[in-house]
């Protein structure tokens, strides 16, 4: 099987995630990855790009994003301005057309990795508006009459934080995988990738404190992997003795991002 992803030196993936990723690549279907923040959904695409030595294109989805934005944008305002100012040849409509990330991926001479990040941030119709393009790997530019077809079918990775349900018609076209939050064993491997020289005592105490914190009732936003890695760096820079993690959580602001959560932790430590 060509283009097999076996992980990378900076990304630790479960065996199941590796298998699902390679199946999606082999079947030429988008890989839809769900999971809570901090489970490595977004950096998966970067890891695949690095491992397969392919260019990564990232389409960051916002609440205002429309499917059209990923195809192309026709700058009618600039054309009108050029017409009024007598600048350039306004009859060349093509120069006022700028391809979006999907259009760039289709136009690339070499296969690329396309990340559609946090698709659930857009409105409910957004995924359905991409069905034809993701199926047929082509779209028309109505202003010029040109059809943009994929020269090389991109490897498409789509992430979702499961904030809203995605349409069934869209789901049928994807290979789906839910990334469970790493257990202590897998998290230990992830930490070792980023901090290979971390003392065993610090690693043990950090993991214990971190998972006790995540299990605490009442937290509005549980800390994820990126917060844990930041916290470890803060502990190292602060010269914190791992033994003190039994009683307190120094630099708790590296782990928790809401005032209510920080106050909750402080009250329980009193």
């Amino acid at each position: 099987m060509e283009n097999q992803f076996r992980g990378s030196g900076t990304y630790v993936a479960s065996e199941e995630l590796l298998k699902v990723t390679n199946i999606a690549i082999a079947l030429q279907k988008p890989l839809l990855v769900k999971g809570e923040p901090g489970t490595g959904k977004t950096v998966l695409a970067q890891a695949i790009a690095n491992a397969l030595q392919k260019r990564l294109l990232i389409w960051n989805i916002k609440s205002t994003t429309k499917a059209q934005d990923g195809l192309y944008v026709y700058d009618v305002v600039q054309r009108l301005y050029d017409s009024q100012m007598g600048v350039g040849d306004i009859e060349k409509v093509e120069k006022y057309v700028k391809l979006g990330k999907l259009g760039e991926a289709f136009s690339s001479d070499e296969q690329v990795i396309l990340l559609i990040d946090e698709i659930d941030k857009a409105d409910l119709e957004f995924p359905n508006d991409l069905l034809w393009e993701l199926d047929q790997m082509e779209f028309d530019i109505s202003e010029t009459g040109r059809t943009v077809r994929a020269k090389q079918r991109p490897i498409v990775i789509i992430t979702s934080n499961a904030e809203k349900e995605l349409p069934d018609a869209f789901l049928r076209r994807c290979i789906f995988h839910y990334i469970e939050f790493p257990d202590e064993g897998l998290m230990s491997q992830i930490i070792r990738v980023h901090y290979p020289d971390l003392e065993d005592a610090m690693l043990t105490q950090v993991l214990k404190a971190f998972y006790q914190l995540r299990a605490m009732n009442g937290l509005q936003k549980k800390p994820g992997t990126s917060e844990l890695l930041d916290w470890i760096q803060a502990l190292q820079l602060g010269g914190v003795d791992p033994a003190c993690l039994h009683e307190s959580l120094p630099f708790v602001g590296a782990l928790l991002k809401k005032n209510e959560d920080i106050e909750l932790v402080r009250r329980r430590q009193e």
Side-chain angles (χ1 to χ4, degrees):
M1 187 187 299
E2 294 184 3
N3 288 335
Q4 272 215 323
F5 176 57
R6 297 181 177 86
S8 72
T10 59
Y11 188 87
V12 179
S14 67
E15 284 298 320
E16 184 63 24
L17 177 55
L18 293 177
K19 290 178 182 178
V20 170
T21 299
N22 288 318
I23 288 297
I25 293 173
L27 295 178
Q28 297 186 328
K29 287 180 173 292
L31 173 62
L32 173 61
V33 184
K34 284 188 178 183
E36 67 174 273
T39 50
K41 301 184 300 298
T42 299
V43 292
L44 171 64
Q46 182 66 67
I48 295 172
N50 291 342
L52 302 184
Q53 298 183 329
K54 296 182 182 295
R55 184 162 63 102
L56 173 64
L57 297 177
I58 302 176
W59 185 11
N60 291 305
I61 307 303
K62 303 176 181 178
S63 60
T64 56
T65 302
K66 303 298 181 185
Q68 178 67 35
D69 300 335
L71 307 182
Y72 72 93
V73 175
Y74 170 53
D75 195 346
V76 65
V77 175
Q78 184 62 51
R79 190 182 184 202
L80 178 60
Y81 175 81
D82 288 351
S83 173
Q84 293 172 339
M85 299 300 293
V87 178
D89 185 359
I90 63 170
E91 297 304 317
K92 294 182 179 179
V93 180
E94 184 71 30
K95 74 176 185 177
Y96 298 102
V97 174
K98 181 181 179 181
L99 294 177
K101 293 301 181 182
L102 202 60
E104 286 184 44
F106 288 2
S107 299
S108 175
D109 291 328
E110 297 181 349
Q111 186 181 50
V112 301
I113 310 296
L114 173 64
L115 170 63
I116 304 177
D117 200 24
E118 299 189 329
I119 194 172
D120 51 329
K121 281 188 175 180
D123 63 42
L124 291 174
E125 289 305 312
F126 177 86
N128 281 336
D129 290 342
L130 289 176
L131 293 181
W132 171 265
E133 289 77 14
L134 292 178
D135 261 352
Q136 303 300 317
M137 288 287 153
E138 67 176 38
F139 62 88
D140 295 326
I141 300 177
S142 59
E143 289 80 5
T144 65
R146 179 164 73 98
T147 297
V148 178
R149 294 187 178 88
K151 296 178 181 179
Q152 298 286 341
R153 193 178 186 97
I155 296 172
V156 181
I157 310 297
I158 304 172
T159 71
S160 169
N161 288 326
E163 292 181 3
K164 63 170 72 85
E165 288 298 319
L166 299 173
D168 289 343
F170 180 80
L171 293 174
R172 285 196 296 270
R173 289 164 169 81
C174 299
I175 301 296
F176 173 77
H177 182 72
Y178 185 88
I179 300 182
E180 299 286 350
F181 195 83
D183 59 19
E184 290 194 32
L186 185 58
M187 186 64 80
S188 178
Q189 295 179 47
I190 294 171
I191 292 172
R192 284 298 184 198
V193 165
H194 293 272
Y195 300 102
D197 299 325
L198 187 68
E199 295 179 0
D200 290 342
M202 178 64 84
L203 176 61
T204 299
Q205 293 304 320
V206 158
L207 287 172
K208 182 178 180 180
F210 176 73
Y211 282 96
Q212 284 179 344
L213 180 61
R214 280 185 54 86
M216 184 179 293
N217 292 326
L219 285 183
Q220 295 187 24
K221 185 181 186 303
K222 295 180 180 180
T225 305
S226 61
E227 286 84 8
L228 173 58
L229 296 175
D230 288 344
W231 187 48
I232 293 173
Q233 185 174 18
L235 294 175
Q236 288 185 318
L237 292 174
V240 174
D241 183 349
C244 82
L245 300 182
H246 286 297
E247 303 173 353
S248 64
L249 292 177
F251 311 115
V252 69
L255 287 170
L256 302 175
K257 307 302 179 180
K258 290 184 175 291
N259 290 337
E260 298 85 351
D261 291 343
I262 293 175
E263 288 301 318
L264 176 64
V265 169
R266 285 175 177 168
R267 286 197 302 269
R268 296 193 179 186
Q269 289 178 342
E270 293 176 354

